[in-house]
Amino acid sequence: MGCCGDKRTAVAIALGTSNADMHTPDARHGLGRAGVEFEYTGAQTLRVRGPITGRDYWFAQPGARVVVDGREASSLIGIPNLRRA
C-alpha cells in the first residue's frame, strides 16, 4: 500500500513538475514555481501559446492581465504589445 507521497509524485509527473514543486501554491494551479503577470497593451485581442507548457494564454481586451507560468515568462517578453505587469 502506497502512501500519499506516491500520489503527489504521480500528480507531479502528470503536471511536469517536481514533487517539491507540489508544495508551492502556484504548482497546485499548474503553474511553474512562480506565476508572472503580463498585461496586454494592444488594440484587439491576443492569444499566446506557451512554448514550454503548450498552454494558451488569452488576453481578451486591451489592458487584460493574465498570470502565465513563470518558466514561459522570458519567451513572452518579446511579443509585441505584451509586457510584464
Side-chain angles (χ1 to χ4, degrees), residues 54-85:
R55 182 176 292 129
D56 285 335
Y57 300 108
W58 175 251
F59 297 86
Q61 61 193 20
R65 291 182 174 213
V66 174
V67 176
V68 304
D69 188 299
R71 297 170 294 174
E72 298 177 322
S74 63
S75 298
L76 274 61
I77 288 173
I79 297 174
N81 300 318
L82 199 58
R83 65 178 180 95
R84 285 182 77 149

Side-chain angles (χ1 to χ4, degrees), residues 22-53:
M22 293 304 296
H23 297 287
T24 64
D26 290 332
R28 289 192 309 256
H29 300 290
L31 298 176
R33 284 191 184 269
V36 177
E37 188 174 42
F38 278 81
E39 181 178 5
Y40 176 59
T41 61
Q44 303 289 321
T45 62
L46 177 67
R47 182 182 68 116
V48 177
R49 181 163 298 215
I52 295 172
T53 65

